[in-house]
Amino acid sequence: MAAKVWGHLLRCGLYAMASVMMLCGTVQAASVRVGYIPVIGSAPLFVMQGTNWGHDAGVDLQLVRFQSGPQAIQALISGKIDAYVAGVLPLLQARAHGADVKVVASAATEELEVVARGDLATGLPEPPATLTPDALRQRLADFTAKAGHKPKIAAQPLGSVPDTLLRYWLKAGNGLDPAQVADIVGIDIDAAQQAFLAGAVDGAILREPALTIIRHRLPATRVLASGHDLMPGQPGSVLAIVNENAPDRAAWKNAFVSAFVKATQLLATDPEQAAPYVQQALGGGMLPKAIIVEALKASAGGYVSDPGRIMEAVGKLQDFEVESGLLRKAEPVADLFDLETYRQARP
């Protein structure tokens, strides 16, 4: 009789231990290293982290900050990050170098604007209006004649989305040779904002929250080109996964994408609710909440999750990079995108 009791207790103990082990395996979050740049386009990550949606989806976010997309690409190629939230164009270069990386969701569109100060801004209307190619050509020429030098416009390093988009807008959109009409300065995000505020440059291509910060500090700042002016449906920040078909990715890929899309939808529909999480992540909570709310509201219409909506625009920018010598050859844009994971993972 005693042997039967002890046997029953032993079996119960083993069952309980197995249950606990299964439960621990279920809730243990997968550590995912995500490279990002500190802009509003990366806000879905901050919402995921602040709401614990990432952890609830079985993902322990390890956020790795970079100052430009090309910097993040170096980490991606060397295997230092598992996922990437930044501009889409550097991913084309990564794939050209053999990296196995796929875009699984979009984050933000039409997020970049070109702003001007001083003589380059004089006479520009507020609210902004689209300049015709002739009007833009004349404005740049008048500035050069008066200042004795071409306007300096801060961008990010060669191959980044801001740099390529600025050149695309000047050349493809307005028929101007970028080298002839402007001095484009490739520097990091924070440096571009500071250079503009300090008057070291005459213009800059920037994203939020830098745009809102600048408007408050320099009220005479004017928009030279809106996000839509630069390119309708302008592709911006995306979520990409490295080696997405590797066995270890299966444990978290769909849940990660689903939580990311959910966060993107919150940013599009309720910026004020998302603001505290973004405020904490950008500037360590030092930026006033009102600035973050204003920046998020200005960006809300650009939050788009479906990666299929940016494919055509990415193709146009890739062709421009090939023409400009930034890419050796064009690759099939469809190969960069994984639309099926988005369809399966969206809430």
Side-chain angles (χ1 to χ4, degrees), residues 68-79 81-84 86-103 158-160 238 240-243 314 318 321 326-332 335-336:
S68 70
Q71 285 183 358
I73 290 299
Q74 293 174 13
L76 184 156
I77 292 173
S78 62
I81 56 175
D82 309 301
Y84 164 105
V88 65
L89 294 185
L91 295 170
L92 293 169
Q93 298 184 35
R95 286 187 63 84
H97 285 85
D100 180 7
V101 58
K102 293 274 192 175
V103 172
L158 202 64
S160 67
V238 298
I241 295 178
V242 185
N243 301 324
V314 170
Q318 177 183 233
E321 287 197 330
L326 295 173
L327 281 177
R328 185 170 55 85
K329 65 175 183 175
E331 301 287 344
D335 290 351
L336 175 62

Side-chain angles (χ1 to χ4, degrees), residues 119 138-151:
D119 289 338
Q138 190 63 53
R139 174 168 291 275
L140 297 174
D142 289 347
F143 177 93
T144 300
K146 183 176 180 179
H149 60 80
K150 293 176 289 186

Side-chain angles (χ1 to χ4, degrees), residues 32-44:
V32 181
R33 301 164 299 173
V34 187
Y36 76 100
I37 56 176
V39 295
I40 289 291
S42 300

Side-chain angles (χ1 to χ4, degrees), residues 40-49 85 106-107 259-261 263-264 267 303:
I40 289 291
S42 300
L45 282 178
F46 312 146
V47 172
M48 283 176 64
Q49 190 173 56
V85 178
S106 174
F260 187 89
V261 171
T264 305
L267 288 157
Y303 282 111

Side-chain angles (χ1 to χ4, degrees), residues 163-234:
D163 180 82
T164 297
L165 195 60
L166 176 60
R167 296 173 190 275
Y168 176 90
W169 169 65
L170 289 169
K171 188 170 184 179
N174 291 280
L176 302 173
D177 182 346
Q180 295 298 316
V181 299
D183 285 329
I184 298 174
V185 185
I187 50 181
D188 292 338
I189 291 174
D190 290 343
Q193 177 183 323
Q194 293 306 316
F196 187 89
L197 288 171
V201 294
D202 309 294
I205 180 166
L206 297 168
R207 304 173 174 94
E208 294 288 5
L211 293 168
T212 296
I213 293 169
I214 283 170
R215 280 194 296 269
H216 281 264
R217 295 187 185 177
L218 295 176
T221 296
R222 293 292 181 267
V223 174
L224 196 60
S226 69
H228 191 76
D229 292 336
L230 289 171
M231 171 182 267
Q234 172 203 136

Side-chain angles (χ1 to χ4, degrees), residues 239-286:
L239 168 62
I241 295 178
V242 185
N243 301 324
E244 67 159 354
N245 292 319
D248 62 317
R249 296 329 194 217
W252 55 264
K253 182 177 74 172
N254 280 19
F256 182 99
V257 176
S258 182
F260 187 89
V261 171
K262 182 180 178 182
T264 305
Q265 291 173 345
L266 179 67
L267 288 157
T269 57
D270 195 348
E272 292 201 35
Q273 184 180 342
Y277 312 122
V278 180
Q279 180 189 22
Q280 183 58 40
L282 290 180
M286 298 298 291

